[in-house]
Amino acid sequence: PKMKENYCLQAALVCLGVLCHSQAFSTERRSHLRPSFHGHHEKGKEGQVLQRSKRGWVWNQFFVIEEYTGPDPVLVGRLHSDIDSGDGNIKYILSGEGAGTIFVIDDKSGNIHATKTLDREERAQYTLMAQAVDRDTNRPLEPPSEFIVKVQDINDNPPEFLHETYHANVPERSNVGTSVIQVTASDADDPTYGNSAKLVYSILEGQPYFSVEAQTGIIRTALPNMDREAKEEYHVVIQAKDMGGHMGGLSGTTKVTITLTDVNDNPPKFPQSVYQMSVSEAAVPGEEVGRVKAKDPDIGENGLVAYNIVDGDGMELFEITTDYDTQEGVVKLKKPVDFETKRAYSLKVEAANVHIDPKFISNGPFKDTVTIKIAVEDADEPPMFLAPSYIHEVQENAAAGTVVGRVHAKDPDAANSPIRYSIDRHTDLDRFFTINPEDGFIKTTKPLDREETAWLNISVFAAEIHNRHQEAKVPVSIRVLDVNDNAPKFTAPYEGFICESDQSKPLSNQPIVTISADDKDDTANGPRFIFSLPPEIIHNPNFTVIDNRDNTAGVYARHGGFSRQKQDLYLLPIVISDGGIPPMSSTNTLTIRVCGCDVNGALLSCNAEAYILNAGLSTGALIAILACIVILLVIVVLFVTLRRQKKEPLIVFEEEDVRENIITYDDEGGGEEDTEAFDIATLQNPDGINGFIPRKDIKPEYQYMPRPGLRPAPNSVDVDDFINTRIQEADNDPTAPPYDSIQIYGYEGRGSVAGSLSSLESATTDSDLDYDYLQNWGPRFKKLADLYGSKDTFDDDS
């Protein structure tokens, strides 16, 4: 059939070409019968002259088939003028589009040939201009005439799609005939001539899932209930063919990738009906126990699953959350579990889609349930105190070892291990307390003082005896109870003033001073305070104390007539008692001074010495005393200046003391009782050597009289006793000035152990005594030895 169609097409084209040429020739023949526009005279058969007007060019619209590939140039057509008699005097000239290059004309016959292969898709027609001129003179014989050469189309261009590949989406489960995408192809051939540009679409690949409309290129679904979860992507090939799809037409193809989009047509489903999990009793709330996952083949929001606990005995102890990254349900511990209380729990968990498509609600409930069984594992737990904190009380000043209170812990495990207690020493740096490691009794180690610390906070550890790492800690607060152990005292060092006045002048009823007290004890053992005078001076003639009953008291004078000359200072003892049980009291001394006042009662002076001086000394005497003091100061300054000029120190230092620069001689002068055995150190102050220095800067209140029993007899032989006695008198004499003084003693003692060395008592000059021993007395007695020694000695010396 295809060969038959090709033959028919060729025959039609040939007939069309013959028809066009025959029409042109017939037109040419008919033109000769018409009158010429150039006034050409022609005789008729009957001899009469006929006159006709000129028609101009004899021509037609020419056609030329594109893509002609013959060996000779193709004849496009022929131009002929009425005035052409065929003698060759007329010359035909062709101009316009393609003249001389594509189209050439025979200037004698007027035949036009195409020298090149023409492409209608490149150019569909050419406009040319023809003119007849005189061959010899080139004079135009007729005006130029315009004609068109059309390129006749053949089917030489296949259809082409706008895109090489297409991508399209269509929801899964779509109905048959749902439009997916439209593909469009174009043909460069002439759509107005034949069927070269008439396209027909068909599907080459993709059946039976999709179909395409032949005229529009719209692709539609061809099967119902296509499931994305079974197959998500399809590849479809579409063909476009010209010539109306008949044999001999050209075609082009394109690929279309069609993806099924997801819809929520699948409910979530657990892969198993029961999950087994376990959790340690030592786990803390928030710790993950396990995970479950319900599978949903849908994607995106259609596959989102939310988990929820709907039933079970562990609803209060466990919770489940959704991990949207993994679409898992995370089971977590909500409250602590205890192995000893319950060892297993059960949960019923539901997984449901978050988004549900109403179109597919008939597919069933979009949720599923599963059972989770959770086993509790035993763990070695630390001890547990029976109370989260403890508060105990103990009285201050309680003896060491007093029981403060007790803490108690137990092992929650089934083993019930023994517990040992200890105090965190970082909280008891002063070690006020100790604890019995076995029973948890807390005792004091020393008396406590509430006034120093009213509350003591410590921490106690409880650890298993078999595992010291398992320990618990509890805070213990110890309140120190107050005991009345502090007596009240003056709030401040009070001092009162009273104006001296006549005996007859009455005093006002205002208190000399108002006093108050302070007690370090608690309020229960403190106020109210009671003020009074001691019992021995309860009837003090000068002052009295009146309690104001508001923890204050006023001190009043009993009479007037106080005089500074008589007594300028009074020390008044006041007893203050607190309200504790038993009460405590203290005696505080109030100083009251007698002062001089003006007529308005304002204080002028409270100095007793100034008063006495004014009474006993005149102004002249005071001036004389001051002058003597100035003169003494001037003498001291001159003495110091002279000492500095002589470069002599004012004070003789101990190492330069002249009293120690005593040279001991072996000889004994007359009247000396003992020189060699005497220790000069006895002249120094023996009490000062021992560290005791009597105070000498206090003005004596009486004239010192030496005790008669201390003075030694003038004829005493012991110089040491004599000197010590005089030194003791000087040290104990308060009238002596407060600096060292030189004591001069004229007594040297009497008698000598060596006897007299004088020769006046010798009976004769020739003494029988042997004085050779004088040679052993040293060089100082050498002269005597020479005088009284033996003659041999004299000879040796001479």
Side-chain angles (χ1 to χ4, degrees), residues 1-176:
K2 291 184 178 180
M3 293 179 64
K4 187 176 181 180
E5 291 179 1
N6 290 334
Y7 288 147
C8 294
L9 179 62
Q10 292 177 359
L13 293 175
V14 171
C15 293
L16 179 64
V18 172
L19 179 63
C20 292
H21 284 284
S22 62
Q23 182 179 0
F25 292 151
S26 62
T27 304
E28 180 183 357
R29 286 194 298 266
R30 286 195 303 269
S31 66
H32 288 287
L33 299 178
R34 298 181 180 179
S36 172
F37 287 100
H38 296 279
H40 180 70
H41 295 84
E42 188 177 88
K43 291 183 178 180
K45 292 182 178 180
E46 296 180 356
Q48 68 179 36
V49 179
L50 298 177
Q51 187 176 0
R52 56 176 182 176
S53 61
K54 180 183 175 184
R55 289 189 66 245
W57 290 104
V58 178
W59 63 280
N60 199 350
Q61 179 172 291
F62 299 130
F63 292 88
V64 61
I65 298 177
E66 66 171 338
E67 305 293 343
Y68 175 76
T69 57
D72 298 326
V74 61
L75 178 63
V76 177
R78 182 184 179 187
L79 298 178
H80 186 72
S81 176
D82 292 341
I83 62 176
D84 186 5
S85 60
D87 54 3
N89 293 327
I90 297 177
K91 179 181 179 180
Y92 293 98
I93 300 174
L94 185 66
S95 63
E97 298 175 345
T101 57
I102 299 176
F103 302 100
V104 294
I105 188 170
D106 188 347
D107 59 354
K108 291 182 179 182
S109 62
N111 293 329
I112 301 173
H113 292 81
T115 62
K116 294 182 179 180
T117 301
L118 301 180
D119 187 1
R120 191 203 66 84
E121 287 72 37
E122 181 179 348
R123 186 158 190 166
Q125 67 182 18
Y126 298 86
T127 301
L128 298 174
M129 188 76 66
Q131 189 175 19
V133 298
D134 186 88
R135 184 176 296 274
D136 296 330
T137 62
N138 287 329
R139 180 178 61 85
L141 300 178
E142 291 185 5
S145 181
E146 184 182 86
F147 66 94
I148 296 174
V149 177
K150 286 189 175 183
V151 181
Q152 188 174 349
D153 180 53
I154 65 173
N155 189 19
D156 60 342
N157 290 280
E160 293 183 357
F161 285 93
L162 298 179
H163 304 284
E164 292 183 2
T165 58
Y166 289 84
H167 294 275
N169 298 324
V170 64
E172 64 173 335
R173 308 283 182 182
S174 296
N175 297 326
V176 175

Side-chain angles (χ1 to χ4, degrees), residues 259-276:
T259 302
L260 298 182
T261 57
D262 185 64
V263 297
N264 190 11
D265 58 341
N266 293 280
K269 185 70 176 178
F270 285 103
Q272 58 194 69
S273 59
V274 178
Y275 284 85
Q276 299 288 343

Side-chain angles (χ1 to χ4, degrees), residues 374-535:
I374 303 174
V376 181
E377 297 178 349
D378 190 20
D380 189 6
E381 300 176 88
M384 181 183 298
F385 282 96
L386 300 185
S389 62
Y390 292 87
I391 299 177
H392 297 305
E393 295 179 346
V394 63
Q395 286 189 341
E396 66 173 330
N397 302 328
T402 302
V403 176
V404 176
R406 183 188 183 188
V407 296
H408 188 241
K410 66 176 182 178
D411 183 12
D413 298 321
N416 195 17
S417 299
I419 305 299
R420 291 295 178 265
Y421 303 94
S422 62
I423 294 177
D424 183 2
R425 290 305 173 187
H426 292 90
T427 61
D428 186 22
L429 297 176
D430 295 326
R431 296 183 179 270
F432 287 123
F433 306 99
T434 183
I435 190 171
N436 190 314
E438 296 181 356
D439 57 16
F441 279 100
I442 302 174
K443 298 181 180 180
T444 60
T445 59
K446 61 184 75 174
L448 304 178
D449 187 3
R450 188 205 68 86
E451 287 70 40
E452 181 178 350
T453 305
W455 283 89
L456 295 170
N457 298 311
I458 64 174
S459 296
V460 175
F461 290 111
E464 296 180 9
I465 191 172
H466 301 299
N467 186 1
R468 302 294 296 180
H469 297 288
Q470 292 291 351
E471 64 178 9
K473 186 177 181 180
V474 68
V476 180
S477 299
I478 301 172
R479 179 184 180 185
V480 182
L481 300 178
D482 184 49
V483 174
N484 192 18
D485 58 346
N486 290 278
K489 297 180 180 179
F490 278 158
T491 305
Y494 292 104
E495 187 173 5
F497 301 93
I498 188 172
C499 296
E500 61 178 345
S501 60
D502 296 337
Q503 184 72 26
S504 59
K505 185 176 181 180
L507 294 175
S508 63
N509 57 356
Q510 295 295 329
I512 299 173
V513 62
T514 300
I515 58 177
S516 62
D518 187 17
D519 195 333
K520 295 182 179 180
D521 292 322
D522 197 2
T523 55
N525 293 318
R528 117 165 161 79
F529 300 123
I530 300 175
F531 301 87
S532 63
L533 294 176

